[in-house]
Amino acid sequence: MESTTAKIVSVEPRQSASVVNASGAASFDANSHIELKTVSLLSGSNIALVHSDTGLAINGNLSTIAAEATVPFLYTGSISAGPNDLILTMTRKSANELGLTGAAAIVYEPAVAAAANDAALAAALGTLPDAQHVQSALQELQPADLGYIRSAAAFITDPNSDAVGARQRRLTFAPQADGFASWVAGGFDQLSFDGADGHGFGATFGVDFNAAQKSHFGVAFSLRETHLNEDANNGSTKATWYLFSPYLGFQADNFFVNAQLNAGSATVSMSREVIVGTEDRISTGETSETIASGGVVGGYAFNYAGWSIAPELSFSVLKMSNGMYTESGGGKGVDLAVNGQDLTAAHAFAGVVASSTYELLGGRLVPQLLAGWDQSLDTSGATMTAHFVSEPAENFSLTGPQTEHSGFLGGAHVDFGNDYTTISLGYDGTVGGKAKMQSANLRFSSRF
């Protein structure tokens, strides 16, 4: 074999045999050059690019001949010549050598192992030119962070920001006449976090009994939907909530205590778009959540200038559990199997409620305001344990960013009606750190 232009077109995964076998003498003259094309990823090895059963001669400068034989950014490599072989020595860089950080550094080794089962994705990874592109690609291979779903669930079940809590404040500070009443509330939520944003909407239906200045009790059912988009992995998550909520309240002189429980489930669907070079994959998965939460609000009300003012304290807790799920559609180098996990949240609130009543147009106008500080008692990020479907032994764990923040919580509601029917417009929101959650809502109630 004598060559003026020798092109080594492909190197197969985990290849140990020679790429080109020459029968007789092989030589490269000074005008020869070698090119390499990435078709997969290796853990690192010596590859005989050319083997001659008689002998190999390099008639020129090997460094010049091999100048265009560049290895992927993921590797260090060199070409050397022996008596019978032209040898490519490749060593895959570590995450530290590549300069990877965070989730990308953790996912790197399992992702490369999975890519060895996915030739097209492996070839695409081999074309990434620098650490920034590698970091970005690996971040897209991480699973959905259900910590964002947890924070959304805490917001829609907190007694200071949910529909049931708003109903209880109306029954406590400005009740309609005694008896049974039904009510319905619809709302739209806007959610923003460090690394994600989204929205939600839904409705709550309730029936309750009220004895003014004494007690109330009732039950409610909520159907809500939450949509979230994550920045790191081009991911989107949709959760559909089904919640049953019994609630009750007591008053003695100027003291009051309101409590609510929430129990139910959610169906959660997730998708990730992974773009590596010319490869564009979409991986999807589904799981279910069970949810239980509760909240207690207590305070003391007094009158000032026609307003009922009530300093209050509250405490709420939430626990969510989701089952294991397996993604599909993304291919062997993308799809993940994600373990189930339990998520918790706990909040304490200190603030003040103000309520008043004005006679207007034959009815009553009732403004109610709420403001205070909401303290998150569980600030840990959600931990996700997963493996690529094609590499079940390569487990990895990631901890997402903190999504539960302390901050200001406030609300404003205006009701208009009479002893039988009312309509209410309201706003509730909380701002803390880089997280902001807010909700606009409309409520009708009718006594029977």
Short mmCIF file of all heavy atoms in Angstrom, two decimals, residues 109-138:
data_model
loop_
_atom_site.label_atom_id
_atom_site.label_comp_id
_atom_site.label_asym_id
_atom_site.label_seq_id
_atom_site.Cartn_x
_atom_site.Cartn_y
_atom_site.Cartn_z
N GLU A 109 -20.59 11.09 32.56
CA GLU A 109 -20.18 9.70 32.39
C GLU A 109 -21.36 8.80 31.99
O GLU A 109 -21.26 8.02 31.04
CB GLU A 109 -19.51 9.17 33.65
CG GLU A 109 -18.14 9.79 33.94
CD GLU A 109 -17.09 9.41 32.91
OE1 GLU A 109 -17.32 8.45 32.15
OE2 GLU A 109 -16.05 10.06 32.86
N PRO A 110 -22.53 8.87 32.68
CA PRO A 110 -23.67 8.06 32.23
C PRO A 110 -24.12 8.41 30.81
O PRO A 110 -24.52 7.53 30.05
CB PRO A 110 -24.76 8.39 33.26
CG PRO A 110 -24.03 8.84 34.47
CD PRO A 110 -22.83 9.56 33.96
N ALA A 111 -24.05 9.69 30.44
CA ALA A 111 -24.49 10.11 29.11
C ALA A 111 -23.58 9.55 28.03
O ALA A 111 -24.05 9.11 26.97
CB ALA A 111 -24.55 11.62 29.02
N VAL A 112 -22.28 9.55 28.26
CA VAL A 112 -21.35 9.01 27.27
C VAL A 112 -21.55 7.51 27.14
O VAL A 112 -21.51 6.96 26.03
CB VAL A 112 -19.90 9.35 27.66
CG1 VAL A 112 -18.92 8.59 26.77
CG2 VAL A 112 -19.66 10.85 27.54
N ALA A 113 -21.80 6.83 28.26
CA ALA A 113 -22.05 5.38 28.21
C ALA A 113 -23.31 5.09 27.40
O ALA A 113 -23.35 4.16 26.59
CB ALA A 113 -22.18 4.82 29.62
N ALA A 114 -24.36 5.89 27.60
CA ALA A 114 -25.61 5.69 26.85
C ALA A 114 -25.43 6.04 25.38
O ALA A 114 -25.99 5.39 24.49
CB ALA A 114 -26.73 6.54 27.46
N ALA A 115 -24.62 7.07 25.09
CA ALA A 115 -24.42 7.49 23.70
C ALA A 115 -23.70 6.41 22.90
O ALA A 115 -23.85 6.34 21.67
CB ALA A 115 -23.62 8.78 23.65
N ALA A 116 -22.92 5.55 23.57
CA ALA A 116 -22.26 4.45 22.86
C ALA A 116 -23.27 3.48 22.27
O ALA A 116 -22.93 2.71 21.36
CB ALA A 116 -21.32 3.72 23.82
N ASN A 117 -24.53 3.51 22.76
CA ASN A 117 -25.60 2.68 22.21
C ASN A 117 -26.44 3.41 21.17
O ASN A 117 -27.44 2.87 20.69
CB ASN A 117 -26.51 2.21 23.35
CG ASN A 117 -25.76 1.50 24.46
OD1 ASN A 117 -25.02 0.56 24.19
ND2 ASN A 117 -25.94 1.95 25.70
N ASP A 118 -26.08 4.64 20.87
CA ASP A 118 -26.86 5.50 19.98
C ASP A 118 -25.89 6.19 19.02
O ASP A 118 -25.38 7.28 19.30
CB ASP A 118 -27.63 6.52 20.82
CG ASP A 118 -28.67 7.31 20.06
OD1 ASP A 118 -28.44 7.56 18.86
OD2 ASP A 118 -29.69 7.68 20.66
N ALA A 119 -25.60 5.54 17.89
CA ALA A 119 -24.53 6.00 17.01
C ALA A 119 -24.73 7.43 16.54
O ALA A 119 -23.78 8.22 16.49
CB ALA A 119 -24.41 5.06 15.82
N ALA A 120 -25.96 7.80 16.18
CA ALA A 120 -26.20 9.15 15.65
C ALA A 120 -25.94 10.21 16.72
O ALA A 120 -25.34 11.25 16.44
CB ALA A 120 -27.62 9.25 15.12
N LEU A 121 -26.40 9.96 17.94
CA LEU A 121 -26.17 10.92 19.02
C LEU A 121 -24.70 10.98 19.38
O LEU A 121 -24.15 12.05 19.65
CB LEU A 121 -27.00 10.54 20.25
CG LEU A 121 -26.90 11.52 21.42
CD1 LEU A 121 -27.54 12.86 21.05
CD2 LEU A 121 -27.57 10.95 22.67
N ALA A 122 -24.02 9.81 19.39
CA ALA A 122 -22.60 9.79 19.70
C ALA A 122 -21.81 10.61 18.69
O ALA A 122 -20.91 11.38 19.04
CB ALA A 122 -22.10 8.35 19.73
N ALA A 123 -22.15 10.44 17.41
CA ALA A 123 -21.47 11.22 16.38
C ALA A 123 -21.71 12.71 16.58
O ALA A 123 -20.80 13.53 16.40
CB ALA A 123 -21.95 10.78 15.00
N ALA A 124 -22.93 13.08 16.96
CA ALA A 124 -23.24 14.49 17.19
C ALA A 124 -22.46 15.03 18.38
O ALA A 124 -21.95 16.16 18.34
CB ALA A 124 -24.74 14.66 17.40
N LEU A 125 -22.34 14.25 19.46
CA LEU A 125 -21.56 14.68 20.61
C LEU A 125 -20.10 14.88 20.22
O LEU A 125 -19.42 15.79 20.71
CB LEU A 125 -21.66 13.65 21.74
CG LEU A 125 -22.97 13.62 22.53
CD1 LEU A 125 -23.03 12.40 23.44
CD2 LEU A 125 -23.15 14.90 23.35
N GLY A 126 -19.61 14.02 19.31
CA GLY A 126 -18.24 14.13 18.88
C GLY A 126 -17.94 15.38 18.07
O GLY A 126 -16.78 15.76 17.91
N THR A 127 -18.97 16.05 17.56
CA THR A 127 -18.76 17.28 16.79
C THR A 127 -18.79 18.54 17.64
O THR A 127 -18.51 19.63 17.12
CB THR A 127 -19.84 17.41 15.70
OG1 THR A 127 -21.13 17.60 16.32
CG2 THR A 127 -19.88 16.17 14.81
N LEU A 128 -19.11 18.42 18.92
CA LEU A 128 -19.20 19.62 19.77
C LEU A 128 -17.82 20.23 19.92
O LEU A 128 -16.87 19.55 20.30
CB LEU A 128 -19.79 19.26 21.13
CG LEU A 128 -21.22 18.70 21.08
CD1 LEU A 128 -21.70 18.32 22.48
CD2 LEU A 128 -22.19 19.70 20.45
N PRO A 129 -17.68 21.53 19.66
CA PRO A 129 -16.34 22.11 19.53
C PRO A 129 -15.68 22.60 20.81
O PRO A 129 -14.47 22.81 20.83
CB PRO A 129 -16.60 23.30 18.59
CG PRO A 129 -18.00 23.73 18.92
CD PRO A 129 -18.74 22.47 19.25
N ASP A 130 -16.48 22.82 21.88
CA ASP A 130 -15.87 23.41 23.07
C ASP A 130 -16.69 23.07 24.31
O ASP A 130 -17.76 22.44 24.23
CB ASP A 130 -15.73 24.93 22.92
CG ASP A 130 -17.05 25.60 22.52
OD1 ASP A 130 -18.10 25.21 23.06
OD2 ASP A 130 -17.02 26.52 21.68
N ALA A 131 -16.19 23.51 25.48
CA ALA A 131 -16.82 23.17 26.76
C ALA A 131 -18.22 23.76 26.88
O ALA A 131 -19.10 23.14 27.47
CB ALA A 131 -15.94 23.67 27.91
N GLN A 132 -18.43 24.95 26.33
CA GLN A 132 -19.75 25.57 26.42
C GLN A 132 -20.81 24.73 25.73
O GLN A 132 -21.91 24.54 26.26
CB GLN A 132 -19.70 26.98 25.82
CG GLN A 132 -21.03 27.72 25.90
CD GLN A 132 -20.93 29.12 25.31
OE1 GLN A 132 -19.86 29.59 24.94
NE2 GLN A 132 -22.07 29.79 25.21
N HIS A 133 -20.49 24.23 24.55
CA HIS A 133 -21.45 23.41 23.82
C HIS A 133 -21.68 22.07 24.52
O HIS A 133 -22.80 21.56 24.55
CB HIS A 133 -20.97 23.18 22.39
CG HIS A 133 -21.13 24.37 21.49
ND1 HIS A 133 -20.21 25.40 21.46
CD2 HIS A 133 -22.10 24.70 20.60
CE1 HIS A 133 -20.61 26.32 20.59
NE2 HIS A 133 -21.75 25.92 20.05
N VAL A 134 -20.62 21.48 25.07
CA VAL A 134 -20.76 20.22 25.79
C VAL A 134 -21.62 20.42 27.04
O VAL A 134 -22.52 19.64 27.34
CB VAL A 134 -19.39 19.63 26.16
CG1 VAL A 134 -19.55 18.37 27.02
CG2 VAL A 134 -18.59 19.31 24.91
N GLN A 135 -21.35 21.50 27.79
CA GLN A 135 -22.13 21.81 29.00
C GLN A 135 -23.61 21.96 28.65
O GLN A 135 -24.48 21.39 29.32
CB GLN A 135 -21.60 23.11 29.61
CG GLN A 135 -22.39 23.64 30.81
CD GLN A 135 -21.92 23.08 32.13
OE1 GLN A 135 -20.83 22.55 32.24
NE2 GLN A 135 -22.75 23.19 33.14
N SER A 136 -23.91 22.69 27.60
CA SER A 136 -25.29 22.92 27.20
C SER A 136 -25.98 21.62 26.79
O SER A 136 -27.13 21.37 27.18
CB SER A 136 -25.34 23.93 26.06
OG SER A 136 -26.66 24.14 25.61
N ALA A 137 -25.28 20.79 26.02
CA ALA A 137 -25.88 19.54 25.56
C ALA A 137 -26.18 18.60 26.72
O ALA A 137 -27.24 17.98 26.79
CB ALA A 137 -24.95 18.87 24.56
N LEU A 138 -25.25 18.50 27.66
CA LEU A 138 -25.44 17.57 28.79
C LEU A 138 -26.55 18.04 29.72
O LEU A 138 -27.26 17.22 30.32
CB LEU A 138 -24.13 17.42 29.56
CG LEU A 138 -23.02 16.68 28.82
CD1 LEU A 138 -21.71 16.75 29.60
CD2 LEU A 138 -23.40 15.22 28.58
#
